[in-house]
Amino acid sequence: QKFAAHYLASEYRQLGLTPFGTEKTNDPLSAYLQPFTVYRRTPRQSRLEVEINGKQVASSKFSADSHDDLSFFYTGAVSGAAGEVVFGGFGVAGNYDALSAKGIKLDDKWLMILDDDQFINKKIALWKAVRPKGVLVVVTSAFADRAEQASLGAQRLGNLSLVESSEFPPTFAISSKLADQLLAPSNQTVESLKSKPDVFELNSSVKVTATIEPSASLRTENVLAFIEGSDPKLKQEVLIITSHYD
């Protein structure tokens, strides 16, 4: 990318275009550059811990270099969260209506829902209906494969953003094994809930804490040049022509 930026700057210079970057420099090529910061959506590493009656019963660590059979970072804010847990069925509109009817609030709690491979499509509806502290998506099939793929994906640059963190809460995929540990004090299991996905607050003795270390931010740049217009009336208007490096 750096080579591409300097190549474009050199081409602009050879064409005699006026530099319009924001760099204060004597370097003729850097004068075309407008540096800015981007942020990775995948954290450097994350840890999910479960306490029951004040005693830690599970701890899961995820990164580009390691994963386990309990959890992996899925999406959302690259920030920590801690609280009790509410089970929200499959995370569909009817489930949120049921939570509301029971007077169950999620402002300071985790929302745990069953995965049906449609979570990405449910994010907007979830965010409109409730604002949980974090989300736990129970992956009931091929968890090991998906955790491995997530770890491999974390080795790549992945999605980038101009804002440091997402407004959507931190979201973890968790295995049935971990979900059953969370559900045990409420006398429930993943299998029993798949056939009858009621909504309820998990036993208050259950606490989940997520610790997330963001990936380092990255610096990149636009390459800007200016061609002054010649028409005395139209030259005060600005026409912006954009393109991608590729």
Side-chain angles (χ1 to χ4, degrees), residues 55-234:
K55 180 181 178 181
Q56 186 180 103
V57 298
S59 179
S60 173
K61 183 180 178 181
F62 172 78
S63 71
D65 302 316
S66 66
H67 59 277
D68 53 36
D69 61 350
L70 298 178
S71 79
F72 60 86
F73 183 82
Y74 199 174
T75 187
V78 184
S79 59
E84 298 177 13
V85 185
V86 169
F87 181 73
F90 282 99
V92 296
N95 296 139
Y96 300 131
D97 291 342
L99 287 171
S100 179
K102 290 185 176 184
I104 299 175
K105 298 185 180 300
L106 283 157
D107 297 340
D108 58 350
K109 298 178 181 178
W110 289 86
L111 171 67
M112 181 166 70
I113 61 175
L114 297 175
D115 179 36
D116 57 1
D117 296 323
Q118 297 294 321
F119 176 71
I120 297 301
N121 298 328
K122 295 176 181 178
K123 284 180 64 177
I124 295 177
L126 184 157
W127 197 231
K128 286 181 177 179
V130 291
R131 295 296 175 97
K133 196 83 169 180
V135 182
L136 304 171
V137 181
V138 184
V139 176
T140 56
S141 63
F143 180 86
D145 291 340
R146 292 178 65 173
E148 182 177 9
Q149 288 300 313
S151 194
L152 290 172
Q155 296 175 20
R156 297 188 288 269
L157 196 58
N159 293 333
L160 301 173
S161 174
L162 293 174
V163 294
E164 194 164 358
S165 188
S166 168
E167 290 188 358
F168 195 80
T171 301
F172 286 78
I174 66 172
S175 64
S176 294
K177 175 182 176 180
L178 182 57
D180 281 340
Q181 287 184 277
L182 294 168
L183 293 165
S186 303
N187 298 313
Q188 297 281 5
T189 67
V190 171
E191 281 302 313
S192 66
L193 291 170
K194 283 169 66 177
S195 58
K196 189 179 179 181
D198 193 12
V199 298
F200 58 92
E201 293 178 282
L202 271 64
N203 189 291
S204 60
S205 66
V206 178
K207 302 288 192 303
V208 174
T209 300
T211 306
I212 302 177
E213 180 183 345
S215 296
S217 59
L218 303 169
R219 292 287 283 176
T220 185
E221 56 275 312
N222 292 319
V223 187
L224 300 171
F226 179 72
I227 305 174
E228 187 174 3
S230 57
D231 187 287
K233 293 183 178 179
L234 298 179

